[in-house]
Amino acid sequence: GCQYQHININRQRMMKRDQVQELFERNGGLDKDSFPAVLGTLGTDNVWNYRSKITPHYEAPLKKRRRNQEVLSNVTCQINEIGFKQKASRRLVDVPYCHIATEAINDHLTRVREDIRQDALEGRLRRPSKGATLLLRDSDGRVETDNNVYVNTTVKDLVFRFKAGNFFQNNPSMLPVMVDLVVDAATEPSPSGGKMTHLIDCYCGSGLFALTASKHFDVCVGIEVNEKAVAEAQDNAKLNNIANCKFVSASAEAIFSSEDPVQISTVQESGNVITHDTFVSDFPRDATVVVCDPPRKGCSEEYLEQVNVFNPQMV
């Protein structure tokens, strides 16, 4: 993260690898002499100006005019720092240029900072008594500042459409590397040489891993608790003409025991699309792989127990 930017990039990657190893040993109680060591951190040569989304903040503006102690609707304000919180502090650090954000974002940030301060001075702020979080999302070179506007971004040969304020991986140069690693691992044959035919993508978001892996599997099912993300994943499947992926709104642990059928479409060589119902509980265990990319808080115990009971060939 930003706290490491003063350190040589190779040293940064070593530190990150060591932190993960320490977590396995300390929190997981794993013996470092018997458990496989964590591999080295992967990266690209693009170590600056790579991040495609930033969310700088500003505190409640300083009021410039009052009447009888009542705030006027067109109150004139002054905004000071626009940036990010200092580590281990509530102090806001002014950041006029972000060295890890794309150049397109930094160009736009300069204008956004000027505009928001001018709006404050001229009484045009929608909520002049409160601070706010700004959005700058670089989508294939176009910067969007409205959380609710849909944007497109390309990952390898697929196009993903999602709301600018929603979560999506924020390092476009590293994203293809990460996708390839996941897909390569998911398509490894079983110890007996069997092919993986079914994929379950837990915490799937807008469908990144399920859709990029779909051409290697007969059936892919994505599970996501956020209904809006599920709708985006379904739209992305249609956008990329992918018929063998289905996305379900539910908690991750519910997918393994769900009695609701999942409707899957397959395209025949003739071009005809055949639709049929299937149950995740009926997926062949020896040919099923589970991809798990949980949110920051991690996997729930219920989910881990369900995966253990389901017993897929690979996680």
Side-chain angles (χ1 to χ4, degrees):
C2 293
Q3 293 89 347
Y4 288 169
Q5 295 306 321
H6 62 290
I7 303 173
N8 173 276
I9 186 61
N10 293 324
R11 179 59 182 160
Q12 285 187 47
R13 291 169 179 168
M14 289 174 61
M15 292 170 65
K16 293 174 182 179
R17 179 263 174 208
D18 290 346
Q19 286 179 335
V20 176
Q21 181 72 36
E22 290 169 5
L23 281 172
F24 275 120
E25 295 172 11
R26 183 176 66 249
N27 293 4
L30 301 173
D31 180 6
K32 65 179 181 180
D33 294 325
S34 60
F35 190 80
V38 175
L39 298 177
T41 305
L42 292 180
T44 69
D45 293 334
N46 189 13
V47 298
W48 300 107
N49 301 114
Y50 60 81
R51 187 175 174 87
S52 61
K53 175 189 175 185
I54 62 171
T55 51
H57 323 285
Y58 63 84
E59 303 287 11
L62 301 175
K63 307 297 185 298
K64 300 291 285 183
R65 181 160 58 91
R66 288 177 180 271
R67 179 184 299 158
N68 298 327
Q69 299 302 313
E70 293 184 3
V71 178
L72 302 180
S73 60
N74 64 338
V75 67
T76 301
C77 307
Q78 176 178 316
I79 293 176
N80 290 327
E81 294 83 5
I82 302 175
F84 303 94
K85 293 286 187 182
Q86 180 177 318
K87 181 175 174 60
S89 170
R90 298 183 66 181
R91 174 177 173 266
L92 193 65
V93 178
D94 192 53
V95 180
Y97 182 93
C98 176
H99 289 275
I100 64 172
T102 65
E103 291 291 3
I105 283 180
N106 278 302
D107 289 344
H108 212 82
L109 178 61
T110 300
R111 296 193 295 272
V112 167
R113 286 164 55 89
E114 292 172 353
D115 290 346
I116 199 71
R117 284 180 170 142
Q118 193 63 33
D119 286 346
L121 289 172
E122 297 180 7
R124 293 195 299 266
L125 288 182
R126 186 167 61 89
R127 297 190 303 173
S129 63
K130 297 182 179 180
T133 297
L134 307 175
L135 167 73
L136 293 97
R137 163 81 75 177
D138 184 348
S139 175
D140 290 347
R142 169 177 165 261
V143 178
E144 180 56 60
T145 59
D146 187 333
N147 284 274
N148 294 311
V149 169
Y150 280 93
V151 297
N152 290 348
T153 193
T154 304
V155 181
K156 298 178 75 68
D157 56 345
L158 300 181
V159 176
F160 289 84
R161 183 174 184 266
F162 54 94
K163 282 190 175 181
N166 288 2
F167 174 80
F168 198 81
Q169 298 292 339
N170 296 323
N171 186 341
S173 61
M174 190 63 198
L175 194 50
V177 178
M178 183 177 71
V179 165
D180 284 344
L181 282 171
V182 172
V183 173
D184 288 348
T187 52
E188 281 283 331
S190 69
S192 62
K195 180 181 182 296
M196 297 295 103
T197 59
H198 291 63
L199 180 140
I200 304 171
D201 183 4
C202 296
Y203 309 98
C204 68
S206 52
L208 175 66
F209 292 123
L211 293 173
T212 52
S214 61
K215 61 185 177 183
H216 301 283
F217 293 87
D218 295 341
V219 175
C220 295
V221 174
I223 180 73
E224 170 61 52
V225 69
N226 186 327
E227 293 184 1
K228 293 181 180 179
V230 169
E232 289 180 353
Q234 292 170 341
D235 290 343
N236 286 328
K238 294 177 182 177
L239 181 64
N240 292 282
N241 297 315
I242 296 173
N244 66 331
C245 283
K246 178 67 177 180
F247 298 95
V248 180
S249 177
S251 59
E253 59 268 17
I255 190 65
F256 300 105
S257 57
S258 174
E259 296 182 359
D260 296 326
V262 176
Q263 195 174 71
I264 296 294
S265 299
T266 54
V267 181
Q268 297 180 318
E269 291 184 3
S270 62
N272 295 329
V273 178
I274 303 298
T275 301
H276 63 281
D277 289 343
T278 186
F279 294 88
V280 171
S281 57
D282 293 335
F283 280 14
R285 304 300 197 268
D286 61 346
T288 296
V289 57
V290 172
V291 172
C292 178
D293 183 22
R296 189 172 300 177
K297 67 179 181 180
C299 302
S300 68
E301 289 188 18
E302 293 82 4
Y303 166 77
L304 295 174
E305 290 171 359
Q306 288 281 349
V307 173
N308 187 49
V309 171
F310 186 77
N311 194 27
Q313 177 64 235
M314 192 186 317
V315 178

